Amino acid sequence: MTATTGSPTPPKRAPDAGTEGSGPVGDDRLRPLLVRVAGKDRAAFAALYDLTVAQVHGIVLRVVRGGTDAEDVTREVFEQVWHTADRYAPQVGSPLAWLSALAHRRAADRIRSRAGRPHAGVPAAAEATPPGCGHGEPLYLAYYEGMTCGQIAERLDLPVATVRARIRAGVARMRATATDVPAG
């Protein structure tokens, strides 16, 4: 247990040391664990960590692209899980989707803090989408705020299918823009 937060310290195992193999874990195993973690059950927290640390660390590693930062962010994600497990809403998404959103959001925060300015990378997204096309805001909400397509649709008063299409189109446009930039 850490003295300042009251949360258990994640086990000192390598992030890829999952005990259940390399495949994703089913909701039927994770949902009850999250309920128990919300009740501050340390054994459930350890089991949840063991089952999901490889996936969470993989997401973080892809975003922050640095071993030490990735380990720190992964630890922070699991500390956040300990403190906010009671906020998990099964009707919104699967436990692994919730953990993935937490991991992506926390990793994006680390990148922004590293850059020394808020929302690093958003200008590139804005430049890659033409004015008024509507791709920029759904992209921002999905990738920097960690919102689901349903949450974005509700916030922007759009159909979910439209939000998904705009995100796909925005990502495709950014990808095309990135390939047009000369290596330097």
Side-chain angles (χ1 to χ4, degrees):
M1 175 190 295
T2 58
T4 58
T5 63
S7 61
T9 303
K12 298 281 185 193
R13 292 188 290 274
D16 60 353
T19 57
E20 300 299 316
S22 59
V25 181
D27 292 349
D28 56 332
R29 292 184 70 188
L30 296 180
R31 277 197 177 105
L33 289 174
L34 272 173
V35 169
R36 290 176 44 207
V37 170
K40 303 304 181 206
D41 182 329
R42 291 175 185 279
F45 178 78
L48 181 72
Y49 178 89
D50 286 342
L51 292 170
T52 61
V53 67
Q55 288 91 350
V56 168
H57 186 70
I59 291 165
V60 170
L61 193 58
R62 282 190 298 275
V63 175
V64 301
R65 299 181 189 263
T68 304
D69 270 350
E71 290 171 13
D72 290 345
V73 172
T74 300
R75 180 189 45 78
E76 291 169 7
V77 168
F78 282 100
E79 286 177 0
Q80 184 177 3
V81 167
W82 176 256
H83 292 291
T84 63
D86 59 332
R87 295 184 197 154
Y88 166 68
Q91 67 277 13
V92 175
S94 72
L96 200 52
W98 182 70
L99 287 167
S100 298
L102 291 178
H104 190 275
R105 195 173 315 132
R106 182 69 66 160
D109 287 347
R110 178 61 59 99
I111 295 297
R112 285 192 294 271
S113 71
R114 221 193 271 160
R117 61 185 185 280
H119 312 302
V122 174
E127 289 172 13
T129 58
C133 74
H135 299 145
E137 191 170 11
L139 276 171
Y140 171 81
L141 293 172
Y143 289 98
Y144 289 97
E145 296 296 323
M147 294 175 72
T148 66
C149 287
Q151 291 168 329
I152 295 167
E154 187 175 308
R155 185 172 192 174
L156 299 179
D157 195 29
L158 295 169
V160 174
T162 301
V163 169
R164 285 189 183 121
R166 288 182 180 180
I167 290 171
R168 276 193 303 271
V171 168
R173 187 172 298 277
M174 287 188 331
R175 203 174 275 142
T177 301
T179 59
D180 292 341
V181 176

